[in-house]
Amino acid sequence: MTDHALLLVNLGSPASTQVADVRRYLNQFLMDPYVVDLPWPLRRLLVSLILVRRPAQSAHAYASIWWEQGSPLIVLSRRLQAAMQAHWTQGPVELAMRYGEPSLDSVLSRLAAQGIERVTLAPLYPQFADSTTTTVIEEARRVVRTRKLPIRFSILQPFFDQPEYLDALADSARPYLQQGFDHLLLSFHGLPERHIRKLVKGIDPQHDLRSASSEGVSDEVLAVCYRSQCLRTAEAFAARMGLRPGQWSVSFQSRLGKDKWIEPYTETRLDELGRQGVKKLLVMCPAFVADCIETLEEIGDRGLEQFQAAGGERLELVPCLNDHPSWVEALNQLCARAPQQI
């Protein structure tokens, strides 16, 4: 074993379903300026208002999907970590969460204490956003800088259009699609429009955030436009699976607050599809690589109820990649060629 570690990083989870733990987690998450991009005083005021009622509501939601072993996201991420260790032969494979535990601070400090000087940092987000990819990278750099750790990073880049990822996505979903369905909804995590606007304004101020296709989007815009990357993932997946136009669609879930978020909204599509006579609906969530509250509770429970209330009969949630063997192999290949950051 050598001194080149692989560090997998996902979003995180409360330590338990207790309201106090959920409040602590939500405070850390929402106070991240990459998540709520307001000046500190306004962010503190907004988050404080959110934390009046949201922790109890979220605690109830977490309790409905919590496993005996703990948070599904943490359990599944640990399984991926264990599976990756058999493939990553250059050193140890570690797991950290951007919010909650295990923290980036604790894991990077432990690696440095073990004499590790090179780390491939792998934010487990296929599509790029400041609120996911950037905040992981910046927090890792902050830890190294403030702790004066002798660590150099290679960083896994967004892999929304990489063949290995798309092939793994197809392999994991194929058994569910082969069982037959009326429609496939690819539901990605949502994002406030302004998060994208501020990134593309210097490249293409007129970039269309209503387009139904990623066709014609320049490489420069595609590199920073989360919505276009989601569309590109969906289009490439549909092509791999031989899906016909009209047999699938894209939506965006998990809105928070009153800001304008990217469309179409998942809750709107669930109503539309139910009213249009779709009886068996498959839903995939390709912005997530591990099942979590947004997939298991938001789609698997609340989404099912909404779809059935609109006239649908059966909603089947296609599991995320989790620790699927094809994904383990794909992730190893993607991380192995991650560029070193100077």
Side-chain angles (χ1 to χ4, degrees):
M1 186 171 286
T2 65
D3 61 352
H4 183 174
L6 173 61
L7 177 53
L8 308 176
V9 186
N10 214 322
L11 186 76
S13 173
S16 77
T17 62
Q18 297 298 309
V19 174
D21 284 335
V22 174
R23 179 180 289 109
R24 188 176 302 109
Y25 170 78
L26 289 177
N27 183 69
Q28 184 187 10
F29 171 54
L30 295 173
M31 283 303 295
D32 184 341
Y34 288 108
V35 174
V36 178
D37 56 341
L38 296 173
W40 190 92
L42 292 177
R43 187 166 71 251
R44 182 66 271 173
L45 176 61
L46 176 62
V47 173
S48 295
L49 291 173
I50 292 173
L51 293 180
V52 173
R53 295 185 177 180
R54 179 65 64 132
Q57 297 169 348
S58 295
H60 177 76
Y62 276 109
S64 71
I65 55 96
W66 209 256
W67 292 351
E68 184 177 346
Q69 309 98 306
S71 161
L73 174 65
I74 303 296
V75 173
L76 291 166
S77 297
R78 287 293 188 197
R79 291 177 186 172
L80 176 64
Q81 175 192 5
M84 284 295 295
Q85 188 62 78
H87 290 258
W88 186 265
T89 59
Q90 304 173 63
V93 177
E94 291 286 351
L95 175 70
M97 297 290 153
R98 176 61 185 89
Y99 314 105
E101 298 294 337
S103 69
L104 276 163
D105 193 326
S106 64
V107 175
L108 286 170
S109 297
R110 184 172 70 250
L111 286 172
Q114 295 171 1
I116 301 292
E117 296 185 353
R118 186 178 176 191
V119 172
T120 288
L121 183 69
L124 295 176
Y125 306 107
Q127 299 82 22
F128 167 82
D130 276 342
S131 56
T132 52
T133 308
T134 301
T135 188
V136 166
I137 295 170
E138 291 306 312
E139 174 64 7
R141 287 172 171 165
R142 184 198 66 79
V143 169
V144 166
R145 182 176 63 252
T146 58
R147 298 290 188 190
K148 295 181 172 55
L149 305 179
I151 287 178
R152 295 173 291 116
F153 289 115
S154 296
I155 300 179
L156 174 65
Q157 303 302 299
F159 45 89
F160 64 96
D161 61 348
Q162 295 301 295
E164 296 92 342
Y165 161 68
L166 294 168
D167 287 344
L169 203 60
D171 285 349
S172 67
R174 186 170 289 110
Y176 296 86
L177 272 66
Q178 287 176 340
Q179 294 174 11
F181 59 96
D182 295 330
H183 192 85
L184 170 67
L185 182 63
L186 295 115
S187 178
F188 293 82
H189 198 284
L191 200 67
E193 284 192 355
R194 72 172 186 274
H195 283 209
I196 299 176
R197 293 287 185 203
K198 67 183 179 183
L199 295 174
V200 303
K201 65 181 181 181
I203 306 170
D204 180 5
Q206 304 304 315
H207 177 55
D208 184 7
L209 286 180
R210 299 291 183 275
S211 174
S213 170
S214 70
E215 186 176 352
V217 175
S218 69
D219 290 342
E220 293 79 10
V221 169
L222 184 63
V224 296
C225 180
Y226 171 81
R227 188 177 185 277
S228 295
Q229 291 185 7
C230 292
L231 293 175
R232 185 64 58 89
T233 296
E235 291 158 358
F237 173 80
R240 271 172 168 71
M241 302 306 295
L243 301 179
R244 304 182 305 276
Q247 198 176 9
W248 62 279
S249 59
V250 170
S251 63
F252 300 92
Q253 64 182 85
S254 309
R255 281 185 296 163
L256 177 66
K258 298 181 180 180
D259 290 332
K260 181 65 175 175
W261 285 50
I262 53 177
E263 296 184 45
Y265 300 139
T266 294
E267 57 264 38
T268 300
R269 286 297 291 143
L270 290 173
D271 283 339
E272 291 172 346
L273 291 166
R275 290 196 302 266
Q276 290 167 6
V278 171
K279 297 304 180 184
K280 181 178 180 181
L281 177 66
L282 294 185
V283 183
M284 289 179 61
C285 300
F288 306 93
V289 299
D291 279 304
C292 52
I293 191 170
E294 286 87 355
T295 65
L296 299 173
E297 192 273 339
E298 185 177 353
I299 300 298
D301 292 340
R302 283 187 286 139
L304 169 61
E305 292 177 4
Q306 184 181 354
F307 178 61
Q308 290 178 334
E313 294 180 358
R314 181 179 174 189
L315 183 155
E316 184 166 2
L317 177 65
V318 178
C320 291
L321 290 166
N322 296 325
D323 60 343
H324 191 282
S326 294
W327 168 230
V328 175
E329 294 179 9
L331 183 58
N332 182 67
Q333 294 175 40
L334 292 168
C335 290
R337 64 170 185 262
Q340 184 171 334
Q341 305 293 302
I342 304 301

